């Protein structure tokens, strides 16, 4: 008799997966290798930024008091006593009605408290005149105006983006403490599977899930260990899964998780003594997605159907791997958009539709069954329709999850 499985809600399934994330520890990396990693320490400003008062313009540093009363009818003159560019510090001190020719980024000379842009002056070889009064600190970029020494500028668990790199460089981090990345293994199960380079023969198909997951991991900045393909025979599959599970922090298998005669993953989990967190989720595609843990390792049993496999990765594997690294933003970015066409099918479970989103409108990306490959390629988002609904129409506002973003969001909002 076929096994009866009890579906759990998507949000409950995600919660359970995350509760079993095993922390991986941290490692030091050279700054130039740290893009895309997760910070394992908070970044505290070691200096003010900028570290000194400086000129934001090419012009003349003056004492603002000397400019009082300047106007078109009463131009005020300054002797130019020095000339500095960024990186140079003038040894001179400004006295009354003296100016120093100064370039953008140069430290303000002693005595100066304002900068006059070239465009605001009339220049003669050794002097200038101006036609308006300047306030104290006018046109001055102040020490610490961007960041103050001691401030926590980036939290531990943040994604290191190009801006983070700039900030780390600013504070002199030639090395940075980042979370270790999980070792992720991929095994595609199915007697029907051929390698990408193989000729098609009757009854067989090429393995598309394996290469797809490699790319999904790559998009997150991970490499993986490939365990290739295994045919649907219990002993053989068990041996590969056991070995792979020992060698990785997280093993992703595809196929073999449903109730078919050759779906051996349930039996393999049992033989491994793994704790199965769930084997049915109230979602489509991907209802058969199974997640188990054994010896502090994840075993993700993704569906063999390509769209279900893809969705299972994005919904469950992605946040789990991020959580293992202590990341703060675990979830796909969420937005709302206007449905670009009718979608009248009933949704007994929460439905995730591969879709293309243009910033305003979202439309299903073609053939949208669980076994579809084409709509994965054409989509850049997932439309999410709640379970127990039907009859969505062009113009309805729907939930959308965005795929491929560098960084996600910290709340699961659906
Ligand atoms: N009696 C029932 N049958 C099925 C149920 C059910 O509840 N009762 N669930 C269906 C649903 S929903 C899904 S999804 C699939 C899941 O099947 P499995 O995860 O066990 O995967 P397989 O049986 O191994 O394969 C399913 C399908 O996917 C193709 N496949 C597998 N691996 C790959 C790969 N690496 N690349 C490309 N395509 C792959 C495979 O050839 C099959 O067509 O079960 C339903 N059945
Ligand atoms: O798990 Mo299946 O993908 O729901 O269609
Ligand atoms: Mg099956």
């Amino acid at each position: 008799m076929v096994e009866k499985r009890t579906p759990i809600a998507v949000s409950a399934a995600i919660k359970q997966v995350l509760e079993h994330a095993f922390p991986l520890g941290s490692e030091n990396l050279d700054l130039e290798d740290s893009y895309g990693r997760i910070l394992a320490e908070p970044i505290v400003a070691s200096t003010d930024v900028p570290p000194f008062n400086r000129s934001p313009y090419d012009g003349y540093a003056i004492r603002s008091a000397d400019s009082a009363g300047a106007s078109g009818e009463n131009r005020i003159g300054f002797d130019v006593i020095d000339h500095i560019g960024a990186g140079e510090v003038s040894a001179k001190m400004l006295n009354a009605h003296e100016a120093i020719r100064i370039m953008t980024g140069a430290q303000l000379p002693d005595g100066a408290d304002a900068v006059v842009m070239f465009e605001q002056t009339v220049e003669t070889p050794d002097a200038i005149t101006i036609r308006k009064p300047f306030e104290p600190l006018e046109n001055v970029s102040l020490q610490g105006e961007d960041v103050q020494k001691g401030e926590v500028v980036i939290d531990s668990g943040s994604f290191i983006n190009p801006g983070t790199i700039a900030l780390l460089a600013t504070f002199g981090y030639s090395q940075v403490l980042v979370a270790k990345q999980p070792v992720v293994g991929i095994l595609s199960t199915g007697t029907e599977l051929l390698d990408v380079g193989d000729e098609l023969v009757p009854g067989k198909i090429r393995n598309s899930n394996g290469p797809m997951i490699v790319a999904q991991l790559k998009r997150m900045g991970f490499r993986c260990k490939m365990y290739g393909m295994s045919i649907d025979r219990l002993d053989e599959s068990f041996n590969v899964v056991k070995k792979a599970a020992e060698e990785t922090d997280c093993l992703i298998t595809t196929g073999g998780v449903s109730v078919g005669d050759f779906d051996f993953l349930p039996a393999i989990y049992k033989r491994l003594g793994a704790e199965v967190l769930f084997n049915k989720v109230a979602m489509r595609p991907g209802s058969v997605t199974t997640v188990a843990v054994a010896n502090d390792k994840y075993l993700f049993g993704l569906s063999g159907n390509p769209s279900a496999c893809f969705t299972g990765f994005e919904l469950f594997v992605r946040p789990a791997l991020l959580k293992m690294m202590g990341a703060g933003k675990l979830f796909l970015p969420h937005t709302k958009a206007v449905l670009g066409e009718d979608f009248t099918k009933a949704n007994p479970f929460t439905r995730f539709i591969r879709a293309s989103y243009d910033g305003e409108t979202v439309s299903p990306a073609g053939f949208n069954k669980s076994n579809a490959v084409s709509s994965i390629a054409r989509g850049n988002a997932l439309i999410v329709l709640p379970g127990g609904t039907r009859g969505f129409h062009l113009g309805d506002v729907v939930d959308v999850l965005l795929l491929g973003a560098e960084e996600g969001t910290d709340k699961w909002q659906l």
Side-chain angles (χ1 to χ4, degrees):
M1 209 178 70
V2 69
E3 171 201 350
K4 181 103 181 74
R5 296 183 181 183
T6 313
I8 68 166
V10 176
S11 53
I14 293 173
K15 191 161 172 272
Q16 281 205 34
V17 171
L18 295 179
E19 278 167 6
H20 287 83
F22 312 99
L24 295 167
S26 53
E27 60 187 340
N28 266 304
L29 275 192
D30 288 344
L31 179 61
E32 64 260 34
D33 297 327
S34 69
Y35 166 72
R37 299 294 293 265
I38 301 294
L39 263 180
E41 60 180 337
I43 301 306
V44 180
S46 54
T47 57
D48 287 333
V49 183
F52 45 82
N53 286 349
R54 66 188 176 190
S55 176
Y57 296 123
D58 302 317
Y60 294 91
I62 62 164
R63 307 186 332 169
S64 60
D66 296 341
S67 67
S71 68
E73 295 73 46
N74 178 35
R75 297 194 71 95
I76 292 183
F78 293 80
D79 294 330
V80 178
I81 62 164
D82 202 0
H83 179 192
I84 54 170
E88 294 174 322
V89 177
S90 175
K92 303 220 168 116
M93 162 91 188
L94 281 188
N95 291 310
H97 293 281
E98 289 180 346
I100 288 176
R101 190 172 167 95
I102 189 169
M103 302 303 125
T104 305
Q107 179 171 324
L108 223 62
D110 288 340
D113 69 349
V115 171
V116 185
M117 293 165 77
F118 285 153
E119 295 86 336
Q120 296 171 311
T121 67
V122 171
E123 299 176 274
T124 54
D126 296 314
I128 56 166
T129 62
I130 62 175
R131 51 169 291 171
K132 84 164 203 78
F134 282 74
E135 300 287 328
L137 301 180
E138 189 167 339
N139 293 346
V140 175
S141 161
L142 288 177
Q143 175 173 344
E145 70 180 2
D146 188 356
V147 179
Q148 298 201 339
K149 184 177 173 176
E151 231 181 270
V152 175
V153 278
I154 311 181
D155 292 325
S156 183
S158 298
F159 177 85
I160 299 181
N161 63 31
T164 318
I165 302 269
L167 209 44
L168 289 164
T170 298
F171 296 123
Y173 284 81
S174 51
Q175 290 233 310
V176 51
L177 195 67
V178 302
K180 280 191 181 152
Q181 289 186 315
V183 178
V184 184
I186 304 177
L187 170 68
S188 306
T189 74
T191 303
E192 73 278 32
L193 300 180
L194 298 171
D195 245 326
V196 180
D198 292 341
E199 284 299 320
L200 284 183
V201 292
K204 307 252 181 187
I205 58 167
R206 295 193 185 96
N207 171 17
S208 62
N209 289 340
M212 174 177 73
I213 294 173
V214 174
Q216 284 175 291
L217 287 166
K218 205 177 236 177
R219 175 148 88 175
M220 295 180 67
F222 297 140
R223 283 183 309 181
C224 54
K225 277 174 99 98
M226 292 303 285
Y227 291 92
M229 305 182 291
S230 74
I231 57 170
D232 295 320
R233 256 197 238 127
L234 180 56
D235 290 338
E236 272 102 325
S237 292
F238 174 78
N239 290 335
V240 187
V241 168
K242 185 166 181 293
K243 178 173 185 296
E246 280 162 8
E247 293 173 352
T248 57
D249 299 308
C250 165
L251 175 66
I252 302 171
T253 59
T254 73
V257 279
S258 185
V259 294
D261 293 342
F262 304 99
D263 289 337
F264 288 126
L265 265 299
I268 290 171
Y269 296 137
K270 204 173 204 174
R271 229 200 248 190
L272 277 177
E275 178 193 355
V276 174
L277 306 183
F278 51 81
N279 60 12
K280 185 100 182 167
V281 187
M283 64 189 269
R284 175 121 313 156
S287 61
V288 298
T289 306
T290 301
V291 182
V293 289
N295 305 318
D296 291 355
K297 287 153 189 243
Y298 278 119
L299 300 165
F300 285 97
L302 302 184
S303 165
N305 271 326
S307 286
C309 180
F310 175 84
T311 308
F313 179 96
E314 296 295 332
L315 290 186
F316 302 112
V317 181
R318 189 177 180 282
L321 297 179
L322 289 169
K323 182 82 192 286
M324 289 174 98
M325 297 190 298
K329 296 182 176 173
L330 305 178
F331 306 110
L332 295 172
H334 167 253
T335 188
K336 299 235 179 212
V338 176
L339 196 54
E341 59 187 66
D342 291 348
F343 189 90
T344 50
K345 261 201 232 177
N347 310 302
F349 287 160
T350 307
R351 192 185 288 283
F352 294 87
I353 307 166
R354 277 107 25 242
S356 65
Y357 168 69
D358 66 5
E360 208 174 311
T361 304
V362 69
S363 300
F367 182 64
N368 238 302
K369 288 193 177 154
S370 172
N371 57 6
V373 184
S374 58
S375 53
I376 312 173
R378 295 186 186 125
N380 61 358
L382 295 170
I383 296 172
V384 189
L385 302 180
T389 60
R390 72 180 311 143
F392 284 83
H393 294 288
L394 182 148
D396 287 348
V397 174
V398 291
D399 289 302
V400 178
L401 296 174
L402 306 177
L403 299 167
E406 215 176 34
E407 196 177 13
T409 177
D410 57 358
K411 278 201 200 73
W412 176 254
Q413 313 183 26
L414 297 165

